[in-house]
Amino acid sequence: MKALTRYQRLLTLNLFALTFVLGTSEFVIVGLLAEISTDLNIAISTAGAVVSAFALAFAIGTPILTAVFSRFSKFPLMLTLLGIFIIGNIFTALSTTYALLFISRLITAIVTGVLIALAMAVASESVPADKRGTVIAIIFTGFTVASVVGVPLGTYIGQWGGWHLTFWFTSGLGVLSLLASSVSIPKGLKGMRSSLRKQVGFTANPRVIIAFLIPALSIGATYTVYTYLSPFLQQVLAVPEQYIGLVFLLYGIVTVFSTLIGGKLAASNGIAKLRYVFLIQAVILASLYATSQSLIAGLISISFIGLAMYTMTSTIQLYFIDLANQQFPSAKDFASSLAPVSVNVGIAIGSALGGFVSTNMKLIDVSWVGGIVAIAASLLAFISYSLDHKALLMRSQNLPVQGHCDSKC
């Protein structure tokens, strides 16, 4: 088992910092909607539409542009995209109209998604195979640290000096990330020419479709509860309003450990382990229905929900990359974009499902409904494992594997 070199450790640290910057820029606006609404004289729901538009642009634009840009060398491409990211944040900081705010956030969303995909691809190609799971987990941890540290800090800056100052802050973080990337991103990682049609064709593989749905359902299960966690804490657990922020802070800290646990799971046959992890997740989510009768027990259940939240991210990220390596070599960068897109789809699914349950049923019912969604993720993980086992058996017998595409694809 080879240890990471000093250069590989530096690269990992920079990519972690990059995802921290990207996550802070993406999530911080949620804490500033009231200030934006007042300053631009718009309804809070209109300000909130910017968040939905960001997620939609991320989900649609990321895989398409990642496929289009895959022919370019990663070093100049990442620096260029970071430059656009900085410009997008500067335009947000300069926004005095809703239209400029909306457009600047769309620009930022698209390059954010592509930068995440490239960061994962660079890490996968630059470290030893047995270290990829750990390194990918560390990089993903940048997002959870952003929610724990970057978002509260950015929100405080916005409340103290105005929401425009927050995006000057994220612009400055982007400049620092650009400088760090210029000395740490490998310059020899070439692109691979391939048509957009052939790369998108990677998603027609049944194993890819199933793998895409697994994190979407797992995250969807969590967000069925998490989206409505604030009213749940107040109305069901009777947590005083002044302590809600503290609960969210502690939840964010727990999710950091969730990502690190996910890195350990990804180190060896992660899909096989996820079959049972999702069943455990289902039990944890459903347990909230029973533990909600006690404040302490309810908070313990919520902590375990956070601990299970990101256990699948590293495994799924590497799974997409490995599938591309085996069957669609020219789609590796495109494959790297699918995991974060799937997570965003899961957030949308969970939020919508939680909204439906809270409107038409009791708020406590989000717990067992989320558990059912986690069971669906487990079933897909069982199917995925079975297909992988079948494909491995066919390769051992030199039989053609369904969906295989040679290096000319």
Side-chain angles (χ1 to χ4, degrees):
M1 183 178 294
K2 294 178 62 177
L4 294 178
T5 65
R6 183 174 178 273
Y7 175 77
Q8 289 168 338
R9 290 196 298 270
L10 176 64
L11 174 64
T12 302
L13 178 61
N14 174 59
L15 295 177
F16 163 82
L18 173 62
T19 55
F20 170 80
V21 172
L22 297 175
T24 299
S25 173
E26 177 178 357
F27 303 137
V28 75
I29 195 171
V30 174
L32 300 170
L33 291 181
E35 287 78 9
I36 293 173
S37 172
T38 301
D39 184 57
L40 298 182
N41 195 27
I42 56 177
I44 191 75
S45 58
T46 304
V50 176
V51 179
S52 300
F54 190 105
L56 188 61
F58 186 109
I60 296 174
T62 295
I64 295 174
L65 288 182
T66 301
V68 171
F69 292 152
S70 64
R71 68 187 64 192
F72 300 111
S73 297
K74 291 182 176 57
F75 177 78
L77 177 58
M78 290 189 71
L79 295 190
T80 300
L81 293 174
L82 268 169
I84 298 173
F85 170 83
I86 295 167
I87 293 170
N89 277 270
I90 289 175
F91 276 125
T92 301
L94 293 172
S95 295
T96 55
T97 66
Y98 181 71
L100 182 57
L101 171 67
F102 195 90
I103 293 171
S104 67
R105 292 301 288 171
L106 290 184
I107 293 171
T108 306
I110 293 171
V111 295
T112 293
V114 180
L115 280 167
I116 294 169
L118 289 172
M120 300 305 170
V122 167
S124 179
E125 295 179 38
S126 303
V127 301
D130 62 313
K131 297 293 184 182
R132 291 188 308 160
T134 300
V135 170
I136 293 292
I138 291 172
I139 296 170
F140 265 116
T141 304
F143 289 106
T144 52
V145 174
S147 66
V148 175
V149 177
V151 172
L153 178 58
T155 301
Y156 172 76
I157 291 172
Q159 292 172 343
W160 171 71
W163 67 271
H164 296 88
L165 186 60
T166 296
F167 289 100
W168 285 116
F169 169 66
T170 57
S171 300
L173 291 179
V175 171
L176 293 176
S177 186
L178 176 63
L179 293 174
S181 296
S182 67
V183 298
S184 64
I185 302 297
K187 296 180 175 61
L189 298 179
K190 303 297 183 182
M192 186 172 293
R193 291 187 176 276
S194 179
S195 70
L196 176 61
R197 180 182 60 81
K198 289 181 178 178
Q199 293 192 68
V200 174
F202 175 63
T203 59
N205 187 307
R207 293 164 69 191
V208 175
I209 295 172
I210 292 171
F212 184 88
L213 293 174
I214 289 173
L217 290 176
S218 177
I219 287 292
T222 297
Y223 264 80
T224 302
V225 175
Y226 181 73
T227 305
Y228 293 88
L229 185 57
S230 181
F232 186 94
L233 291 170
Q234 295 181 65
Q235 299 174 28
V236 180
L237 294 183
V239 176
E241 186 177 356
Q242 62 267 32
Y243 295 114
I244 298 297
L246 178 60
V247 174
F248 274 96
L249 174 62
L250 295 176
Y251 184 93
I253 293 172
V254 171
T255 62
V256 173
F257 293 97
S258 172
T259 309
L260 297 177
I261 292 171
K264 297 293 184 182
L265 293 177
S268 176
N269 201 6
I271 290 290
K273 299 168 188 173
L274 288 182
R275 296 177 296 171
Y276 305 105
V277 169
F278 295 142
L279 289 177
I280 295 172
Q281 180 190 19
V283 172
I284 293 170
L285 286 163
S287 74
L288 189 58
Y289 190 92
T291 59
S292 62
Q293 303 302 315
S294 163
L295 174 60
I296 300 300
L299 291 176
I300 290 174
S301 288
I302 290 170
S303 297
F304 278 107
I305 290 173
L307 196 61
M309 187 171 183
Y310 293 121
T311 50
M312 60 19 192
T313 50
S314 297
T315 292
I316 295 298
Q317 183 69 45
L318 293 178
Y319 186 74
F320 281 133
I321 293 173
D322 289 341
L323 275 180
N325 280 332
Q326 295 167 13
Q327 301 179 19
F328 292 78
S330 63
K332 286 189 293 184
D333 290 351
F334 178 82
S336 296
S337 74
L338 294 179
V341 170
S342 176
V343 168
N344 274 269
V345 170
I347 291 173
I349 291 172
S351 300
L353 185 57
F356 175 82
V357 172
S358 63
T359 301
N360 297 280
M361 302 165 69
K362 295 180 180 179
L363 186 57
I364 185 63
D365 291 326
V366 296
S367 57
W368 61 265
V369 171
I372 291 175
V373 178
I375 290 174
S378 176
L379 291 175
L380 287 182
F382 271 96
I383 294 172
S384 182
Y385 177 77
S386 176
L387 290 174
D388 290 344
H389 184 72
K390 180 179 178 182
L392 183 64
L393 184 64
M394 293 179 70
R395 277 198 296 270
S396 68
Q397 298 175 351
N398 294 319
L399 297 174
V401 179
Q402 182 182 10
H404 180 78
C405 178
D406 63 27
S407 58
K408 295 180 180 179
C409 290

